[in-house]
Amino acid sequence: MSFVTPLWPPQASAYAEQVDRLFLGFSALTVLLVLPVFILIGIFALKYRRGRDVDRTHRTRGSVWLETSWAAGPFLLVLGFFAWGVALYVDAQTEPVGALEISGTAKQWMWKFSHHPGGQREINELHVPAGEPVKITLTSQDVIHSLYLPALRLKQDVLPGRYTTLSFTADRPGTYALRCAEFCGANHAVMGGRIVVQTPRDYAQWLSRSGADKSLAERGKLLFRQYGCSGCHGPASSVKAPDLAGLYGRPVSLESGETIIADDQYIRDSILFPHRAIAAGYPPIMPTFRNVIEEEDLIALTAFIRNTRAEDWREEE
Ligand code: CUA
């Protein structure tokens, strides 16, 4: 089913269809529960209106069975819809394996996207292949924004200082709206663009046309030198700094005695706030890169660290 009106955006995924089914089902249930009440209000208002000669004595005829059933019935029905909603939510939150990775950065008032494997970058446009799972990791450079893709029935808040993710599989090629759904300042209303869902073939063509010469990780590798990270964290460095090769995804023991998993968030925070979570056994001598490195570059640096295994590292020198 699909009604294309301004209030009912097109469905670009199987998930969107399911959300609509839930929405229509719940609307129907609401009508079903509310309609008898309104009909009775009308009937009684007419029947007992002023001046009518009807029996107004108040007879009490209690029935526990009736009372219970009209409370329990709607409750169970609504609970069923709650379970249905939870199932869809869990579905949307589950990260697909082998998803195509894209990073998104929001700032007043634009969206920037980087495609990890090819390094292609775009602004206010997002190209994705149809039928393939996509995972977007999002962060904001300033205030809270929200990435809203109506045709996919998905919305995810985008927060400064934190990574959030949005996963989906778009099925139907086409061009759909991409918006910001969180009031973020004077130009919030125009902060948006389009998501272009392409057949895998068109997408491959788009990738090669928008030719970036480096993958995101390769760009990160360059930045690793430019920002001077390699001076301390490089294999040949004489400074006692943690070895970053093969670090990603592994547990790190901290000076505080805690253990933390080296994920995107940890790596980002370590660059910006190096004294917050110090790796056990290392002196707290790293300078902060706050207000020096932009979110987009942090993403590239993290992509580099993630892709760097110990062997590649040695080859470096
Ligand atoms: Cu960004 Cu509203």
Side-chain angles (χ1 to χ4, degrees):
M1 88 202 121
S2 167
F3 320 88
V4 182
T5 72
L7 291 177
W8 204 292
Q11 302 159 321
S13 66
Y15 178 77
E17 279 175 30
Q18 290 173 28
V19 170
D20 286 358
R21 224 168 284 144
L22 172 69
F23 178 78
L24 287 174
F26 195 68
S27 302
L29 176 72
T30 311
V31 170
L32 201 74
L33 295 180
V34 161
L35 212 56
V37 176
F38 276 78
I39 289 173
L40 284 174
I41 288 175
I43 291 174
F44 290 146
L46 276 177
K47 185 175 174 193
Y48 293 104
R49 68 184 184 276
R50 193 153 72 152
R52 275 210 81 188
D53 181 24
V54 281
D55 179 12
R56 289 172 202 272
T57 54
H58 185 64
R59 283 165 298 154
T60 36
R61 273 183 307 187
S63 162
V64 175
W65 184 85
L66 193 65
E67 296 272 347
T68 312
S69 60
W70 74 36
F75 175 71
L76 289 176
L77 280 171
V78 171
L79 209 62
F81 276 89
F82 172 74
W84 185 355
V86 168
L88 277 182
Y89 177 78
V90 169
D91 194 22
Q93 294 297 313
T94 308
E95 282 179 10
V97 266
L100 172 71
E101 290 213 46
I102 297 175
S103 280
T105 316
K107 59 186 253 183
Q108 288 166 323
W109 287 276
M110 63 173 81
W111 295 99
K112 294 181 176 182
F113 297 99
S114 307
H115 297 245
H116 279 233
Q120 288 82 358
R121 289 191 276 173
E122 44 185 339
I123 291 182
N124 289 342
E125 279 206 352
L126 174 59
H127 287 76
V128 293
E132 272 179 50
V134 173
K135 177 185 157 192
I136 309 180
T137 305
L138 296 154
T139 192
S140 163
Q141 195 136 314
D142 37 49
V143 298
I144 300 179
H145 302 273
S146 185
L147 180 63
Y148 179 34
L149 303 168
L152 299 173
R153 308 292 189 267
L154 286 173
K155 182 156 72 73
Q156 174 60 54
D157 275 7
V158 181
L159 311 168
R162 251 174 76 178
Y163 289 118
T164 50
T165 58
L166 186 65
S167 306
F168 58 82
T169 304
D171 307 309
R172 248 147 271 159
T175 300
Y176 310 99
L178 180 154
R179 296 209 178 93
C180 178
E182 180 68 51
F183 182 69
C184 55
N187 285 338
H188 156 74
V190 295
M191 180 171 170
R194 50 197 205 135
I195 172 170
V196 185
V197 180
Q198 298 178 298
T199 60
R201 216 177 115 202
D202 288 350
Y203 178 69
Q205 263 177 19
W206 177 82
L207 283 179
S208 59
R209 255 205 328 270
S210 346
D213 47 346
K214 287 179 192 61
S215 74
L216 202 62
E218 283 163 348
R219 205 165 76 78
K221 186 171 165 182
L222 268 185
L223 294 169
F224 195 73
R225 280 226 185 84
Q226 279 171 21
Y227 285 117
C229 317
S230 53
C232 294
H233 292 280
S237 165
S238 56
V239 180
K240 192 175 187 243
D243 186 3
L244 304 184
L247 168 81
Y248 190 91
R250 284 219 313 255
V252 179
S253 308
L254 301 182
E255 200 65 50
S256 63
E258 290 165 286
T259 301
I260 199 167
I261 297 290
D263 56 5
D264 292 20
Q265 187 78 49
Y266 170 72
I267 291 168
R268 176 194 179 275
D269 290 352
S270 296
I271 298 170
L272 299 186
F273 313 100
H275 299 171
R276 206 184 258 175
I278 297 158
Y282 292 94
I285 52 171
M286 175 162 159
T288 171
F289 285 83
R290 226 178 142 199
N291 303 324
V292 176
I293 306 185
E294 289 205 335
E295 292 294 343
E296 278 184 282
D297 287 355
L298 289 168
I299 291 165
L301 280 166
T302 306
F304 165 61
I305 291 169
R306 187 204 305 199
N307 287 2
T308 306
R309 288 176 312 250
E311 312 85 78
D312 316 333
W313 199 265
R314 307 292 163 230
E315 282 168 22
E316 270 308 288
E317 300 302 302

